[in-house]
Amino acid sequence: FFLFLILLSTMAARPLVSVFSLTGEKSGETALPAVMTAPLRCDIVQFVHTNMNKNNRQAYAVNIKAGKQAVATSWGTGRAVARIPRVGGSGTSRSGQGAYGNMCRGGRMFAPTKTWRKWNRKINITQKRYAVASALAASAVPALVMSRGHVIDEVPEIPLVVENAVESTKKTTQAKDILVALGAALDVDKAANSKQVRAGKGKMRNRRYTLRRGPLIIYDSNDGIEKAFRNLPGVELCCVDRLNLLQLAPGGHMGRFCVWSQAAVEKLDVIYGGDGKRIPT
């Protein structure tokens, strides 16, 4: 199925999308942004996401002295033992044991990690723009949104566009009511129910819980919408001027469920096309 979608040069264009009120009723229509007809290139999205995701890593390395703090010298040849350095002395089980080597108990690792490893990656600007455009186009295809795992059974239309009053929402209770009216609350519930303790050492390192991704709220101006929606589990927010591939395609998988304000959707035609960024073809 995915290969079939990749072979399509562009997705089927819809000239108009519905605009919904805060109560979930259709209140108008707006033109579908041209960028949402860009080619669906999951290979470019995956490549750019993989490299972008490396740019927020912290350097790590083992202690430069680890495994090298024993006093050991090789016995040389002629004693029918390996020439690995051995701990000197007598009267203890440690005497004569191999040291330093990565094959030895208590020795250093092979090729000890260093902080001057190449941690960051540069990415072509054209590729990054292509990936974002492709991710935006994928967010307008219901099949891809559902295949990403989003629960959109009760959502009236994809892409989901809401009138600009949503940007003035200031209370989380109002935000929850809006999502319920739009049929997007099921996706938030899915994210909330998925919270569990992380497997592995990350649970000790301030990454204790894992959580599925819910809707991405995209707005034009922040008149309170950030504080209203930010505490809902799985919900993320993004300004249309600062679209981020890590949010549009988490894990490198296209088809994020996006909830747009009308102003944000209309601004896409200013950002892409004309005097703005070039739309891939």
Side-chain angles (χ1 to χ4, degrees):
F1 177 72
F2 284 107
L3 291 174
F4 173 73
L5 289 173
I6 295 169
L7 291 173
L8 293 175
S9 59
T10 57
M11 73 169 203
R14 265 189 316 176
L16 294 174
V17 291
S18 302
V19 178
F20 295 90
S21 67
L22 302 186
T23 57
E25 299 170 355
K26 183 176 178 179
S27 62
E29 291 180 332
T30 186
L32 182 76
V35 70
M36 288 191 177
T37 62
L40 302 175
R41 291 289 301 273
C42 63
D43 54 339
I44 294 178
V45 171
Q46 181 73 59
F47 173 81
V48 174
H49 182 280
T50 300
N51 287 283
M52 279 183 66
N53 211 25
K54 293 178 179 178
N55 291 334
N56 58 7
R57 295 184 293 177
Q58 286 185 322
Y60 66 86
V62 295
N63 190 322
I64 197 170
K65 297 180 181 178
K68 303 287 294 252
Q69 293 177 299
V71 180
T73 54
S74 172
W75 288 357
T77 60
R79 300 184 64 172
V81 293
R83 286 178 282 189
I84 193 76
R86 296 173 184 277
V87 177
S90 62
T92 173
S93 60
R94 183 65 170 135
S95 301
Q97 288 183 355
Y100 300 164
N102 63 305
M103 74 292 290
C104 298
R105 179 176 179 270
R108 52 153 177 77
M109 67 179 288
F110 166 74
T113 50
K114 304 295 183 183
T115 55
W116 54 80
R117 177 188 297 190
K118 181 182 175 184
W119 299 102
N120 298 317
R121 299 289 186 272
K122 292 181 179 179
I123 315 160
N124 293 345
I125 290 177
T126 311
Q127 278 184 308
K128 285 194 288 188
R129 289 179 178 172
Y130 201 135
V132 171
S134 196
L136 286 173
S139 71
V141 182
L144 291 179
V145 176
M146 293 180 72
S147 67
R148 246 209 113 254
H150 292 290
V151 183
I152 57 171
D153 300 339
E154 297 183 5
V155 176
E157 191 172 314
I158 295 291
L160 183 58
V161 182
V162 190
E163 61 186 11
N164 291 330
V166 70
E167 296 180 349
S168 302
T169 309
K170 293 182 171 58
K171 292 291 185 179
T172 304
T173 50
Q174 298 174 351
K176 289 173 68 176
D177 293 340
I178 292 171
L179 291 175
V180 169
L182 295 171
L186 291 177
D187 200 43
V188 179
D189 295 338
K190 175 218 60 176
N193 295 333
S194 71
K195 185 176 181 180
Q196 58 186 355
V197 177
R198 181 186 298 271
K201 288 290 181 69
K203 68 168 72 73
M204 309 173 192
R205 297 174 181 165
N206 297 325
R207 304 187 292 269
R208 189 163 187 83
Y209 297 101
T210 60
L211 192 73
R212 301 286 81 76
R213 300 293 181 101
L216 175 64
I217 315 295
I218 303 177
Y219 59 88
D220 181 29
S221 59
N222 178 20
D223 295 327
I225 187 172
E226 279 269 6
K227 290 185 177 179
F229 283 88
R230 66 183 181 183
N231 201 37
L232 295 172
V235 176
E236 294 180 336
L237 294 105
C238 180
C239 178
V240 69
D241 295 315
R242 298 183 293 276
L243 293 172
N244 186 350
L245 185 70
L246 300 179
Q247 289 183 315
L248 288 171
H253 305 300
M254 299 188 300
R256 180 77 186 264
F257 175 34
C258 298
V259 180
W260 300 81
S261 72
Q262 184 175 353
V265 166
E266 292 170 352
K267 197 165 186 179
L268 283 178
D269 279 329
V270 178
I271 298 173
Y272 291 93
D275 296 330
K277 302 172 184 176
R278 187 178 67 85
I279 300 173
T281 55

